[in-house]
Every structure is written in structure tokens, then in C-alpha cells.
Amino acid sequence: MKKILGMVFFLTVLAGMAGCGQKNTANTTEQTDTQTEKTLEEHFFSAEQDEQNYNVMEEYSEDEEYPELAAFLTEYYQIPEEECKETRYYYNYTDLNEDGTDEIVAVTIGDTTSDNRGDAALILRPGENGQFEVLGAFSQIHTPVMISEDMENDWHTIIFPIYGGGQESGFISAVYREETGYELDEESFVREEPKVSGDRILSDNLINDMDTDNYLTIAPRDTESQN
């Protein structure tokens, strides 16, 4: 009788152990599923937060002729007279140091100012009598130009796309220095567009502008070629 009771007790213990194993397995599976769901939720929440954290405003260039600016660009770049009717310029106003007064970012596209790596850009402070102070001068850049919310030395960082002519494609930042004005920070080069908030200016489609004859030139074009 003891043997039978012992066997029953042994079988009961085995059954109990088997039940515990199944319960532990179920608990482990449930914990794994819960952890996976939590990880996915955190991933999607993080991606959603990234999207919400970056706010970019697109801005097209000014469409009003600016004769004083055109004259300054002609003199600054020494553009030959015969090129002036074919040399395009794009500009936007933007307050780069938050002092309540707009600076100008101007890009000039033509035989004198452009090559297969890009075009010329100037950061200007308008003065009196059609004069401009040059705060930064760049070559071989592209548009659109990003005016980042990030600031250095109390001036907004400017981000230019660069590509073409066999160079590595990417983005490079210009930062303001008290002694020299805006200069490219070579160490800032990245292949992917930086995830920053700000204003993306000069966002015009340059190819479409050519096709639709919708652009400004250093010297006014003939009436029949204008819109």
C-alpha cells in the first residue's frame, strides 16, 4: 500500500512539476511578447517624436526685381555686359542674427559665377544708397539653402547642399565668426541632410523656372522673353 501511495505521490509531484513548466513557458512567452510590443511602441513613438521635433518652412525666392542688388552683383563678380541678360539671380530676406533687420541671401547663376559644381552665393547686409556689406561669400553651392534654428555666436547656421563635378555629395554648414563673418565649417560635412528646424529658402525649382521663363536676370531681358 505504501508503494501505491508512493507512486501516486510521485505521479502527483511530476504532474505538478509539468504544470509549473507549462506555466513558466507561458509566462516567458507572454513576457517576450510584452517586451516586443513595448520595443515597437517606443520605436514608433521615437520616430513620431522626431517628425514632430523638426519643423521646416519652405520659402521661394523673391519675385520682385532688385536693381540695386543686381548692380552690386554685377560689380562684385565682374560680370561682362554680354552675360547680364542671361545671368540669373535669386534672393531672400532673412534675419540671421535676430536683431529685427533682415539680411539677404543671394545666389547668382551664370557663366561667370557657376561651374559644374554649383553656383555663387553671398550673405549681405543692405546699407544706404544701394550699398551692401558682404557677410559671407561662397562658391560651388546649390539651393535650397537651409537657415537653421541653431545659432553660433548669435547668428543662425546656414546649410548648403553640395554636389557635382566629381565631389562627394552632401551638406555643409556655414557659421558666423566675429572676425571674418560667415565661413564654411569643413568638419560639418555630412552625407545626409541634417535634421534641424528652420527655414528652407530659395526653394525654387531652377529647371522649371528655365522652362517657364520665370526668373530674374542681372539685366532686364527683352520684353518679348519676359512673362
Side-chain angles (χ1 to χ4, degrees):
M1 187 66 178
K2 287 183 179 179
K3 289 184 179 179
I4 296 173
L5 289 173
M7 185 67 70
V8 172
F9 175 76
F10 178 70
L11 291 174
T12 302
V13 171
L14 283 180
M17 291 176 64
C20 288
Q22 292 174 355
K23 185 175 181 181
N24 288 339
T25 301
N27 287 341
T28 301
T29 302
E30 184 177 346
Q31 289 174 359
T32 301
D33 290 344
T34 302
Q35 185 62 40
T36 300
E37 290 177 5
K38 183 178 180 182
T39 301
L40 288 173
E41 287 176 0
E42 290 175 349
H43 172 75
F44 288 119
F45 178 75
S46 176
E48 190 175 298
Q49 285 296 104
D50 284 345
E51 187 175 339
Q52 293 174 355
N53 288 340
Y54 301 113
N55 182 27
V56 177
M57 298 294 292
E58 300 280 347
E59 186 175 345
Y60 296 105
S61 65
E62 303 292 327
D63 57 8
E64 184 177 347
E65 290 185 358
Y66 196 158
E68 293 84 1
L69 176 59
F72 179 83
L73 296 173
T74 302
E75 182 178 354
Y76 184 87
Y77 292 118
Q78 294 295 293
I79 301 173
E81 183 178 354
E82 60 270 21
E83 292 182 16
C84 288
K85 289 185 178 181
E86 301 300 325
T87 299
R88 294 179 282 162
Y89 71 101
Y90 293 80
Y91 71 97
N92 270 130
Y93 298 102
T94 181
D95 187 356
L96 292 171
N97 62 345
E98 303 289 348
D99 67 348
T101 301
D102 284 337
E103 284 72 41
I104 292 174
V105 180
V107 171
T108 308
I109 305 173
D111 290 343
T112 296
T113 58
S114 307
D115 59 23
N116 61 354
R117 287 193 170 197
D119 309 304
L122 288 177
I123 314 300
L124 302 169
R125 175 184 287 151
E128 297 179 355
N129 303 318
Q131 298 301 306
F132 299 87
E133 178 186 355
V134 178
L135 302 177
F138 308 96
S139 61
Q140 299 179 332
I141 60 88
H142 291 276
T143 57
V145 176
M146 183 69 176
I147 309 299
S148 171
E149 279 191 353
D150 297 336
M151 302 180 78
E152 188 164 333
N153 299 317
D154 297 323
W155 289 73
H156 286 281
T157 298
I158 302 173
I159 304 173
F160 295 107
I162 56 173
Y163 56 85
Q167 67 180 322
E168 187 174 11
S169 299
F171 298 82
I172 193 167
S173 298
V175 296
Y176 186 85
R177 310 294 187 199
E178 292 295 339
E179 304 80 9
T180 56
Y182 273 101
E183 291 184 335
L184 291 181
D185 178 7
E186 299 295 340
E187 295 183 358
S188 70
F189 174 82
V190 291
R191 293 183 179 88
E192 300 294 329
E193 184 174 15
K195 293 181 178 180
V196 296
S197 296
D199 296 329
R200 187 179 285 123
I201 65 172
L202 303 172
S203 294
D204 309 70
N205 184 325
L206 303 186
I207 296 175
N208 185 62
D209 286 352
M210 287 292 288
D211 292 340
T212 59
D213 206 30
N214 180 31
Y215 53 88
L216 301 175
T217 53
I218 294 296
R221 291 166 287 164
D222 296 333
T223 304
E224 60 268 24
S225 67
Q226 298 182 10
N227 289 336

